[in-house]
Amino acid sequence: MEPVINWNPREVSIWLEKKGHSKYSQILTEDHCIDGRALLLINESDLKSPPISINVLGDIKRLMLDIRQLKVENRQSLLQLGFDPISLLTKPVCSAHVYGTQFRPDPFNFYDDIHMNHGSDVTATSSHSSEFEEDRRLKPEIWKALIAMGYLFTVTWITAFVMVIVHDRVPDMKKYPPLPDIFLDNVPYIPWAFHMCELTGTVLCFVWLAVLVFHKHRFILLRRFFALSGTVFLLRCITMIITSLSVPGIHLECTPRQKPAYLDDGNFLGEMVYKMQQAYVIWRGAGMSIQGVRTCGDYMFSGHTVALTMLNFFITEYTPRDIYLLHTFSWLLNMFGIFFILSGHEHYSIDVFIAFYITSRLFLYYHTLANNQALSNNVDSCRTRIWFPLFSFFESSCSCMVPNEYESLTEIAENLACSTYNNYLVIKSAIKTQILLLRALPSNQTVQIGSTSLVGARALRSRTPIVLIKKKDK
């Protein structure tokens, strides 16, 4: 359906007839050319006053109620299209370069016309919101992205170690044959299918990297990707180690690894070192068979499905809605990758289904919370801090949707050059300051320098004087 902001008078007339206001369709759409943008800006005072002059109070209230509901329903789409939901200007509510705050407006202040009934208009509302516009913008917070990367790095190591443990616990294939499975029992084994699954995942990974390179808010995207991926794989570690399922395919050669001869039964430290070495092999190859990694027992739930689904959802979320070909391509790769996993008889169907469900639900819950923080109350915030502490930490300064804004290669190069040059000037100025201070010191006095370069750099930025601590020679 066409966004309401792009409706023409004819589409507004259809909407009025659908809502039961057909008798006002002519005066609004034909006599006064009310289109979608104008409809969203109408308030109760406009309906009462000339030139519209609706005299029936009940009709005014009902029409105004439907218009308010239309505003509420289209708030997210307006933000995604880059419009301020209050003034309908094309300047996005959130943009880069400025720090955000914890501003939390009343959820209905955007659409409430109470103050409009007293003679004011949308311009007044827009000017009120513009006071907070600078404070509600996004900042990259690179340090949070680095923390999220460290979190995912740690989880991948834990996952690799758990995979070594569950491989040694895999049930004996002769004693525990494959479990009944509707898909695996009816689809023949395809030897090359699992490799194709990993190739589709590689293609999705390259597409996601391209999105990150050109997206203006790439560091926010990175920390969300790392945080969500780490959380899902950490949950996978728990489900893998709790229950060991039998091998799903008879073609798989799954037997516990033979310990080296030098490892005795009581050599706990040596055994741990050996398992860490095996975990490193898995971690280095990212658990992929095309990298020579082969493990068994890590079935509940499918890590390959998690990776495919997470990449697909991030690509479709952070690319423009009108790039239908890319979104279709991403979903096809996701679905074909899952099909290849099952065709290779590497996982049970339930493994794949649960992996897709958990990954998609966690992604949607996280982004629903992130996009609607302005509408949350104190109770919701408290629940989030308890049940989703990572979200509370990483999204503490992000109080609005992340717009899909992109930079060209020229802009990326210019920003990188400016950042490098600014850092060079700060360091140069700090060094110059220290040299001048050292030259100005009397010969019979010493100064505790400490981390003076850092202090000098901060002082240059904040324009505050540097205070030196002096000690007289005894």
Side-chain angles (χ1 to χ4, degrees):
M1 184 178 179
E2 188 76 12
V4 64
I5 195 78
N6 297 328
W7 283 2
N8 55 36
R10 175 58 184 161
E11 290 171 310
V12 173
S13 176
I14 294 174
W15 179 82
L16 289 170
E17 293 175 1
K18 181 180 177 182
K19 293 295 182 179
H21 308 294
S22 56
K23 61 181 176 180
Y24 300 113
S25 175
Q26 180 177 352
I27 188 173
L28 291 174
T29 60
E30 297 181 14
D31 297 348
H32 297 288
C33 299
I34 299 296
D35 57 7
R37 187 187 294 262
L39 182 65
L40 293 176
L41 293 173
I42 284 181
N43 56 56
E44 194 167 317
S45 178
D46 294 331
L47 299 177
K48 293 178 180 178
S49 308
I52 299 179
S53 300
I54 299 178
N55 298 321
V56 182
L57 183 60
D59 289 349
I60 294 174
K61 295 296 183 180
R62 283 185 288 270
L63 177 55
M64 200 61 237
L65 182 62
D66 288 333
I67 292 176
R68 288 182 185 177
Q69 183 63 32
L70 184 67
K71 292 177 182 179
V72 173
E73 292 172 353
N74 287 270
R75 176 176 180 266
Q76 296 292 345
S77 61
L78 290 173
L79 287 172
Q80 292 171 2
L81 292 171
F83 292 96
D84 188 324
I86 303 170
S87 64
L88 302 187
L89 298 178
T90 55
K91 183 178 181 180
V93 177
C94 300
S95 59
H97 313 306
V98 183
Y99 285 53
T101 67
Q102 294 295 326
F103 170 65
R104 297 288 186 272
D106 183 14
F108 293 101
N109 277 353
F110 290 118
Y111 316 108
D112 201 353
D113 297 303
I114 294 176
H115 57 282
M116 294 181 183
N117 297 338
H118 297 284
S120 59
D121 55 13
V122 176
T123 306
T125 310
S126 178
S127 63
H128 173 71
S129 66
S130 63
E131 298 175 6
F132 303 97
E133 183 176 348
E134 293 296 318
D135 293 333
R136 290 187 346 238
R137 296 185 177 179
L138 299 171
K139 57 180 179 178
E141 295 183 308
I142 301 175
W143 63 277
K144 284 188 178 180
L146 294 176
I147 292 176
M149 182 175 66
Y151 169 63
L152 178 60
F153 178 85
T154 305
V155 169
T156 53
W157 258 106
I158 296 173
T159 302
F161 188 76
V162 170
M163 290 171 73
V164 173
I165 296 175
V166 298
H167 182 92
D168 295 336
R169 292 176 49 197
V170 64
D172 186 5
M173 296 179 63
K174 297 179 181 178
K175 187 176 180 181
Y176 300 98
L179 300 172
D181 187 284
I182 293 177
F183 189 93
L184 302 186
D185 293 345
N186 292 280
V187 175
Y189 163 64
I190 303 176
W192 47 265
F194 199 58
H195 289 328
M196 285 299 299
C197 159
E198 294 180 343
L199 290 175
T200 58
T202 304
V203 173
L204 281 173
C205 185
F206 279 113
V207 175
W208 172 234
L209 289 176
V211 173
L212 284 175
V213 168
F214 293 101
H215 204 286
K216 182 180 288 186
H217 309 290
R218 58 186 66 87
F219 290 106
I220 297 178
L221 273 59
L222 267 177
R223 76 171 183 243
R224 290 181 174 182
F225 181 79
F226 290 150
L228 285 172
S229 300
T231 301
V232 177
F233 276 99
L234 188 60
L235 178 61
R236 180 172 180 259
C237 292
I238 299 173
T239 58
M240 280 193 301
I241 204 168
I242 287 177
T243 304
S244 296
L245 299 178
S246 59
V247 179
I250 57 176
H251 67 285
L252 297 173
E253 299 179 0
C254 294
T255 55
R257 295 184 179 90
Q258 296 296 325
K259 296 181 181 179
Y262 63 85
L263 288 179
D264 300 330
D265 292 338
N267 191 354
F268 176 77
L269 181 60
E271 187 175 347
M272 289 297 295
V273 171
Y274 173 72
K275 289 183 177 180
M276 291 296 292
Q277 291 174 345
Q278 297 298 316
Y280 173 72
V281 173
I282 297 174
W283 180 84
R284 182 186 60 191
M288 300 174 67
S289 61
I290 58 177
Q291 297 287 343
V293 177
R294 171 58 66 182
T295 59
C296 295
D298 54 328
Y299 300 128
M300 180 59 68
F301 43 88
S302 170
H304 284 71
T305 304
V306 169
L308 289 168
T309 307
M310 191 69 73
L311 288 168
N312 171 38
F313 272 73
F314 268 93
I315 290 171
T316 53
E317 176 70 17
Y318 292 108
T319 50
R321 298 293 184 268
D322 53 354
I323 309 182
Y324 303 112
L325 184 61
L326 176 61
H327 293 184
T328 303
F329 177 69
S330 179
W331 271 104
L332 284 175
L333 288 180
N334 191 179
M335 294 299 104
F336 272 105
I338 291 175
F339 173 77
F340 288 138
I341 293 173
L342 295 173
S343 299
H345 289 205
E346 294 284 344
H347 277 281
Y348 290 106
S349 302
I350 189 64
D351 303 343
V352 172
F353 173 79
I354 291 178
F356 180 84
Y357 183 82
I358 290 178
T359 306
S360 60
R361 293 315 96 181
L362 188 61
F363 178 92
L364 293 174
Y365 295 158
Y366 188 101
H367 283 77
T368 300
L369 286 172
N371 295 340
N372 294 278
Q373 284 197 86
L375 306 181
S376 63
N377 53 38
N378 293 333
V379 176
D380 293 332
S381 300
C382 184
R383 287 174 181 165
T384 304
R385 283 193 297 270
I386 295 173
W387 294 102
F388 212 160
L390 281 178
F391 171 85
S392 299
F393 172 71
F394 288 124
E395 304 298 328
S396 59
S397 60
C398 186
S399 58
C400 57
M401 291 186 65
V402 176
N404 287 329
E405 301 172 337
Y406 293 89
E407 297 175 329
S408 64
L409 288 175
T410 304
E411 292 174 327
I412 295 173
E414 289 176 353
N415 293 337
L416 184 61
C418 290
S419 177
T420 304
Y421 183 67
N422 289 337
N423 291 332
Y424 163 74
L425 290 179
V426 170
I427 296 173
K428 181 181 178 181
S429 300
I431 294 174
K432 272 186 167 184
T433 302
Q434 298 312 309
I435 293 174
L436 292 174
L437 288 172
L438 290 173
R439 287 179 179 177
L441 289 175
S443 58
N444 61 343
Q445 292 181 339
T446 60
V447 180
Q448 294 181 349
I449 301 294
S451 56
T452 319
S453 299
L454 180 60
V455 175
R458 289 177 179 172
L460 288 171
R461 289 180 178 175
S462 60
R463 306 297 182 185
T464 57
I466 303 176
V467 178
L468 295 177
I469 304 172
K470 298 184 179 181
K471 287 185 179 180
K472 293 184 179 181
D473 292 332
K474 294 183 179 179

